[in-house]
């Protein structure tokens, strides 16, 4: 009762599998079963569909990151091929360095709901961290937002109307800009301008992000926007930013952790020979009985 999906590395070599439960399966089954970590498969290094997306990424200059494997497959069906799957996890340094070989623009697919808003906040954190990280990881981080009512994910959107997904995929925006617009719009729709407490909450929400923006001109523009929304002078907000930075200068960025390899180095000649023979037994069935009987 499962659909088996091969997982390939950037060269298209199968390194593992994932299995998605099909309709009619027993209710106690988990939605996905994945290959365990092995010497050749590391979930934190895997980007589903990258071997098929490389040409599309280079052509468009950007990579769209979705969660599910079926979202990637559906996107290709609609003709949007610069798409990879993250398997619903935060990107690791290993994955980012892989993507940096092909593009410096990351586009995250987000829903226009509470879950999408929470995801946007995490992507904002990533965007700010990357701007202060290794020069090799200096990405332009953007997002595309799935409007309410068109489908809960690319798979469902393509099922209903492939042209709708093509339209959504071609209209990304800078993620920090999107997040600020969203937060300020929610503040204004809730009548926040009339409440000192609501203005304070808005400042507490946005100011820590602004404090971690490295470019002075960019930081100043965000301060002006926050000042307009809260009616608190930009000089006051700037002083608060400086106080944050001086109080905890090391808190500006959160390092992105690399994937720890589970590969155990083979050192002795005997161990190397055993590994080679075991590989031959797996590859050539005719030799397996003799090899396994002697190793």
């Amino acid at each position: 009762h499962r659909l088996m999906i091969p997982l390939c590395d950037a060269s298209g070599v199968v390194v593992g599998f994932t299995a998605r439960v099909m309709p009619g399966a027993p209710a106690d089954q988990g939605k996905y079963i994945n290959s365990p970590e092995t010497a050749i498969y590391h979930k934190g290094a895997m980007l589903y569909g990258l071997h098929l997306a490389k040409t599309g990424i280079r052509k468009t200059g950007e990579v769209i990151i979705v969660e599910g494997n079926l979202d990637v497959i559906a996107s290709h069906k609609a003709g949007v091929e610069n798409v990879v799957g993250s398997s619903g996890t935060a990107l690791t340094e290993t994955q980012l360095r892989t993507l940096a070989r092909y593009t410096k623009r990351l586009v995250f697919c987000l829903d226009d709901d509470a879950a999408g808003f929470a995801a946007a906040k995490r992507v904002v954190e990533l965007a700010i961290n990357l701007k202060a990280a290794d020069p090799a990881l200096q990405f332009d981080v953007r997002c595309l937002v799935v409007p309410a009512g068109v489908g809960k994910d690319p798979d469902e959107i393509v099922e209903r109307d492939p042209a709708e997904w093509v339209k959504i995929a071609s209209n990304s925006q800078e993620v920090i800009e999107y997040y600020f617009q969203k937060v300020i719009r929610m503040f204004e729709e809730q009548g926040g301008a009339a409440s000192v407490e609501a203005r304070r909450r808005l400042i507490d929400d946005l100011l820590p992000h602004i404090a971690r923006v490295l470019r002075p001109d960019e930081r100043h523009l965000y301060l002006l926007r926050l000042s307009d929304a809260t009616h608190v002078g930009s000089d006051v907000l700037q002083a608060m930013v400086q106080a944050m930075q001086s109080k905890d200068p090391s808190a500006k960025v959160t390092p992105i952790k690399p994937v720890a390899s589970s590969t155990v180095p083979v050192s002795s000649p005997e161990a190397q020979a055993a590994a080679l023979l075991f590989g031959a037994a797996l590859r050539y069935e005719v030799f397996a009985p003799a090899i396994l009987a002697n190793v």
Side-chain angles (χ1 to χ4, degrees):
H1 299 293
R2 289 185 180 275
L3 174 66
M4 295 290 292
I5 301 173
L7 305 175
C8 299
D9 64 15
S11 300
V13 177
V14 177
V15 295
F17 293 90
T18 186
R20 189 189 192 282
V21 71
M22 298 288 285
D28 59 346
Q29 290 194 26
K31 187 174 182 180
Y32 286 96
I33 295 177
N34 300 308
S35 289
E37 292 278 314
T38 69
I40 61 170
Y41 171 67
H42 306 291
K43 184 177 181 181
M46 172 60 58
L47 290 162
Y48 179 72
L50 178 60
H51 65 297
L52 298 175
K54 291 186 289 188
T55 300
I57 293 170
R58 290 191 175 106
K59 183 178 179 180
T60 60
E62 64 184 26
V63 57
I64 299 173
I65 300 166
V66 297
E67 287 194 2
N69 300 333
L70 297 183
D71 294 328
V72 177
I73 295 171
S75 189
H76 276 262
K77 286 169 58 180
V80 180
E81 299 180 350
N82 59 321
V83 177
V84 300
S86 66
S87 301
T89 59
L91 290 183
T92 65
E93 181 182 337
T94 304
Q95 291 170 322
L96 289 167
R97 291 191 182 279
T98 298
L99 291 174
R101 301 174 195 165
Y102 308 103
T103 183
K104 285 302 183 71
R105 176 177 286 185
L106 308 179
V107 182
F108 289 85
C109 180
L110 305 173
D111 294 328
D112 192 21
D113 57 13
F117 179 68
K121 190 169 185 177
R122 292 193 296 271
V123 175
V124 167
E125 287 290 312
L126 174 66
I128 293 173
N129 291 340
L130 290 177
K131 288 185 178 183
D134 186 320
L137 301 178
Q138 295 289 328
F139 288 95
D140 172 19
V141 183
R142 303 177 67 83
C143 67
L144 52 88
V145 181
V146 176
V150 303
K152 61 182 176 62
D153 51 37
D155 184 26
E156 190 172 294
I157 296 169
V158 172
E159 184 71 22
R160 294 181 178 181
D161 183 4
E164 183 68 29
W165 173 241
V166 174
K167 178 182 176 182
I168 293 171
S170 62
N171 287 284
S172 67
Q173 55 186 304
E174 208 276 330
V175 69
I176 301 178
E177 180 78 10
Y178 163 74
Y179 181 74
F180 271 55
Q181 287 178 353
K182 181 83 172 177
V183 172
I184 291 174
R185 185 166 67 249
M186 290 168 58
F187 165 77
E188 292 172 344
E189 289 174 352
Q190 295 169 3
S195 166
V196 172
E197 182 181 356
R199 295 184 199 187
R200 188 173 66 245
R201 284 199 305 268
L202 180 64
I203 292 171
D204 290 343
D205 188 353
L206 296 183
L207 203 63
H209 297 304
I210 297 175
R212 297 166 63 206
V213 173
L214 293 182
R215 283 188 52 153
D217 56 343
E218 189 176 348
R219 187 167 63 244
H220 179 65
L221 290 171
Y222 285 126
L223 284 174
L224 289 177
R225 179 167 298 181
L226 183 57
S227 176
D228 288 341
T230 61
H231 299 165
V232 175
S234 60
D235 54 338
V236 175
L237 296 174
Q238 177 62 38
M240 294 173 69
V241 165
Q242 291 174 346
M244 287 181 182
Q245 293 174 337
S246 61
K247 183 178 180 180
D248 191 6
S250 63
K252 288 186 178 181
V253 297
T254 303
I256 299 162
K257 298 180 180 179
V259 177
S261 172
S262 61
T263 304
V264 178
V266 179
S267 53
S268 71
E270 292 81 3
Q272 293 181 25
L276 180 63
L277 288 169
F278 184 62
L282 290 171
R283 178 66 180 85
Y284 303 103
E285 186 177 352
V286 66
F287 299 130
I291 290 173
L292 296 178
N294 289 280
V295 178

